[in-house]
Amino acid sequence: DTGVSQDPRHKITKRGQNVTFRCDPISEHNRLYWYRQTLGQGPEFLTYFQNEAQLEKSRLLSDRFSAERPKGSFSTLEIQRTEQGDSAMYLCASSLGVAGAGNEQFFGPGTRLTVL
Amino acid sequence: RKEVEQDPGPFNVPEGATVAFNCTYSNSASQSFFWYRQDCRKEPKLLMSVYSSGNEDGRFTAQLNRASQYISLLIRDSKLSDSATYLCVVRIYGQNFVFGPGTRLSVLP
């Protein structure tokens, strides 16, 4: 499968614990995005990378959230001291990052986080 | 005002019907426009990009009205398999993608 993959697919954790999610983009894609989606809403942008550089972060991304893409390939999203409000689907997407047709995003299957 | 707004629906239509969704956006600097489809508990998938002159892909037609800042999606001859949530997506060049809340469509037999 050459699409975007995410791991784990599901995560249940207790409030206050730290969690880390991984995303592997399509191999030739240089842009990688993280989104959060709750029931009945569209995906909300969290952050994105151009290669290894984190170019933009949403105001939604509190200091408990951190994302990395150390070698410009896979990325991790860490949430520290999880809260019940962090429960959501966390989606990763990648794109070629060029103008025109190349900026369509391809999404991974998501990681569903439940904070108890 | 939200950056991208959509009627959440649901739109319940019979098979074979024609249905249209609108999406409005607030930032006049928006340059790229897309429709994504999302099935229940699945990831969004690109349905089509929306070009200034309008574009068609089989039973699907997308239109852009920059003056009124809205885009539309028309689905002709609806199929049961068209049942999904349709997400409107807008992007300003060099910035992130902004998704609308989605419009739910149910095509009924």
Side-chain angles (χ1 to χ4, degrees):
Chain A
D1 186 354
T2 56
V4 179
S5 62
Q6 292 187 246
D7 183 71
R9 296 289 304 275
H10 303 275
K11 178 70 177 178
I12 299 174
T13 191
K14 292 183 179 178
R15 189 177 52 180
Q17 298 294 304
N18 299 344
V19 294
T20 299
F21 309 141
R22 176 177 169 128
C23 171
D24 286 87
I26 294 171
S27 58
E28 62 268 26
H29 286 184
N30 55 21
R31 286 195 179 171
L32 186 148
Y33 303 79
W34 284 100
Y35 292 88
R36 179 173 66 190
Q37 187 175 25
T38 53
L39 196 63
Q41 299 298 316
E44 294 177 294
F45 170 78
L46 293 178
T47 188
Y48 93 92
F49 294 83
Q50 173 95 12
N51 300 312
E52 65 275 8
Q54 188 172 19
L55 296 188
E56 191 172 345
K57 290 171 62 172
S58 165
R59 289 188 298 270
L60 294 174
L61 213 66
S62 77
D63 57 5
R64 296 185 297 106
F65 288 70
S66 61
E68 294 182 341
R69 195 182 182 198
K71 298 182 181 178
S73 56
F74 74 91
S75 175
T76 58
L77 177 69
E78 181 183 17
I79 309 174
Q80 295 182 323
R81 306 181 303 281
T82 51
E83 302 172 356
Q84 288 182 322
D86 297 331
S87 296
M89 175 74 85
Y90 289 84
L91 292 162
C92 175
S94 69
S95 72
L96 278 171
V98 297
N103 63 23
E104 288 103 346
Q105 296 182 306
F106 296 84
F107 282 83
T111 294
R112 184 171 295 282
L113 173 66
T114 302
V115 182
L116 302 175
Chain B
R1 183 183 173 189
K2 292 186 177 179
E3 288 188 76
V4 180
E5 296 193 68
Q6 296 181 253
D7 181 342
F11 284 62
N12 299 316
V13 302
E15 265 187 296
T18 295
V19 61
F21 310 134
N22 282 341
C23 163
T24 58
Y25 59 94
S26 60
N27 194 324
S28 59
S30 301
Q31 292 185 303
S32 301
F33 308 90
F34 309 89
W35 283 102
Y36 275 72
R37 171 199 168 121
Q38 187 171 27
D39 293 298
C40 189
R41 304 184 80 82
K42 298 282 191 178
E43 72 272 21
K45 293 186 177 178
L46 179 68
L47 179 65
M48 57 197 304
S49 300
V50 186
Y51 302 121
S52 297
S53 55
N55 48 300
E56 190 173 303
D57 182 1
R59 297 180 294 108
F60 299 84
T61 301
Q63 297 278 353
L64 168 63
N65 185 319
R66 287 189 183 273
S68 300
Q69 294 183 203
Y70 77 83
I71 67 173
S72 63
L73 177 68
L74 182 78
I75 306 175
R76 290 182 299 278
D77 188 24
S78 299
K79 312 290 185 192
L80 295 176
S81 58
D82 294 333
S83 298
T85 295
Y86 291 83
L87 299 162
C88 171
V89 188
V90 170
R91 184 174 187 248
I92 298 170
Y93 180 75
Q95 298 189 22
N96 68 77
F97 294 76
V98 182
F99 283 75
T103 297
R104 274 179 48 211
L105 171 66
S106 290
V107 181
L108 308 172

